[in-house]
Amino acid sequence: MGPPPEKSVELAPVGLFSAALSPHYALLGTTAGRAELWQIDPKSLLHVWQHTDEHNGIVYAAIADDERYAVTAERESLAWWRIADGKLLGVWRFPAIHALALSSDGRHALVGLPDRAIYFSLASGATRYAFQHDARVTAVALDARGQFALTGDEQGRAHLWRLQDGQKLFSWSHHGEISAATLNDDGSIAMTHPMLGKTHLWKTTNGRLLHTLGHYRVTVAAARFAKNGRYLATGLVSGQLQIWEAKSGALLQNLQPLQNPLWRAPSASVLAVSFALEDRKLYSITSNGGLQRWRR
C-alpha cells in the first residue's frame, strides 16, 4: 500500500450520492438532497444548490474543465449553473438519467438515458445528437478537445462517437455493466471498465486494445487521466485509489483513503478523482464525504 494522503478533510458528514472534482473545486451531491460547491484551498463553501422542490438528491454532478460552469442531475432533471455567482442558468427534464458528463467549456452535456445518450446544448436547449443503445446507458465521457463522445451501457457495450458528425467509430464488448468510462484530454485513449472486471484502454485511432489493467472482481467508480496524458487514476468501489502509467499499463501507486471513525461510514467508495498542480497532486472524494489530497 502506498503513502497516506498529505491532507484529509471532512466536507459532508451526512455522506454523498455523487461528487465531481476540478483542480480548485469540489461539487458534492449530499444525501440531504442538495448540491454543495466547495472551494478546495482554502476550504470554503461557495454555493448550495437545489434545482427542484423535490428532495431526491443530486445523483450526478460535473464541473467544466475551465471551471466556469457546472451541472447537477436528479433522476429526472438536469440543471446548469454558473460558478462565479452561483446563478441557475437552466433546468431540463429527462427520463431516468443514469450518467452525466460536461464538455470542457461547460456548454454541452452528455446525458445517459434508458436507451440512448444525448449530446445536449445547454446554451440553446437543443439536442445535437442522440446516440442509440440497446440498454440503459451507465457511463459517458467527453474529451477536452470536443472530438469524441464515449458511452457505455448495462449490457457491457461501449461505443465511441465522433462529435463532428455523430458517426459511431468503434464498439467494444465487455462482460458486465460499464461502471466507468473516460477519455484523455487529446482523445487518443479511451478507458472503459465493466463491473467486477478489468480496466481496458483503447486507441481511438484504430479501436485496438492498448492495455488491460488490474484484476477481476474489481469495480471502478471514478476515473480521470492526468492533463499530460501520462497517468490514469482509478477510484474503486472498495475504497482504493490506483494510479497507472497509461503508456505501459504499469501500476504506479495503490493508495487507501483514510477512514475517520467519527465519520458515518466505516468504509467508502471513491466517487471522484482529479489531478492538480501540473499533475503533481491528486484529489479524491469518498462517499462518506471525505476529501483527500495525495502527492503523485
Side-chain angles (χ1 to χ4, degrees):
M1 198 64 64
E6 289 185 326
K7 187 177 181 179
S8 184
V9 297
E10 182 184 15
L11 292 182
V14 297
L16 303 176
F17 285 133
S18 62
L21 278 167
S22 68
H24 300 98
Y25 300 112
L27 179 55
L28 313 179
T30 72
T31 56
R34 62 183 180 271
E36 297 179 354
L37 183 71
W38 289 81
Q39 178 179 278
I40 293 176
D41 190 16
K43 174 186 170 183
S44 175
L45 179 60
L46 301 179
H47 306 299
V48 176
W49 292 328
Q50 190 164 355
H51 56 272
T52 73
D53 293 331
E54 302 167 1
H55 295 273
N56 297 328
I58 304 300
V59 292
Y60 300 102
I63 303 171
D65 288 346
D66 65 9
E67 299 187 320
R68 295 178 60 196
Y69 301 102
V71 287
T72 57
E74 296 179 355
R75 282 298 179 191
E76 295 188 348
S77 61
L78 172 71
W80 186 33
W81 309 90
R82 187 165 58 210
I83 289 176
D85 57 5
K87 183 178 179 180
L88 177 62
L89 301 176
V91 179
W92 299 270
R93 291 282 182 176
F94 294 101
I97 296 172
H98 295 290
L100 178 64
L102 187 59
S103 64
S104 184
D105 64 1
R107 300 182 69 82
H108 288 82
L110 183 61
V111 186
L113 300 175
D115 59 355
R116 64 195 185 280
I118 63 166
Y119 186 60
F120 181 75
S121 171
L122 297 162
S124 68
T127 296
R128 183 174 174 187
Y129 299 118
F131 302 127
Q132 296 297 319
H133 277 253
D134 295 325
R136 176 168 53 101
V137 176
T138 54
V140 295
L142 297 164
D143 70 292
R145 295 184 181 179
Q147 303 169 97
F148 305 115
L150 178 62
T151 61
D153 64 34
E154 64 181 344
Q155 293 184 352
R157 296 285 288 176
H159 304 305
L160 184 72
W161 312 83
R162 187 168 55 209
L163 290 178
Q164 182 180 7
D165 54 11
Q167 180 73 28
K168 184 193 297 183
L169 299 176
F170 303 107
S171 294
W172 303 300
S173 295
H174 307 71
H175 297 290
E177 176 180 313
I178 304 298
S179 66
T182 192
L183 290 152
N184 65 350
D185 274 16
D186 67 11
S188 62
I189 300 176
M191 170 268 183
T192 56
H193 181 91
M195 293 179 66
L196 300 176
K198 293 187 176 183
T199 298
H200 299 74
L201 299 184
W202 310 90
K203 295 182 68 175
T204 61
T205 53
N206 56 22
R208 294 178 181 174
L209 181 65
L210 183 62
H211 295 297
T212 303
L213 311 177
H215 304 283
Y216 289 111
R217 315 303 297 177
V218 168
T219 296
V220 171
R224 181 75 66 88
F225 282 96
K227 288 293 182 184
N228 61 17
R230 293 180 59 189
Y231 310 110
L232 170 69
T234 55
L236 308 185
V237 169
S238 61
Q240 286 181 294
L241 183 63
Q242 299 175 325
I243 302 178
W244 308 85
E245 185 177 58
K247 184 176 181 180
S248 68
L251 177 61
L252 302 178
Q253 290 180 285
N254 193 15
L255 308 170
Q256 182 66 55
L258 299 176
Q259 305 300 333
N260 188 325
L262 298 178
W263 295 351
R264 295 184 65 179
S267 62
S269 300
V270 178
L271 296 180
V273 293
S274 179
F275 288 90
L277 296 175
E278 297 180 349
D279 300 330
R280 299 192 307 273
K281 305 289 184 181
L282 180 72
Y283 286 103
S284 64
I285 290 182
T286 48
S287 57
N288 60 9
L291 170 71
Q292 302 192 324
R293 185 182 71 204
W294 309 83
R295 182 185 298 275
R296 208 220 51 74

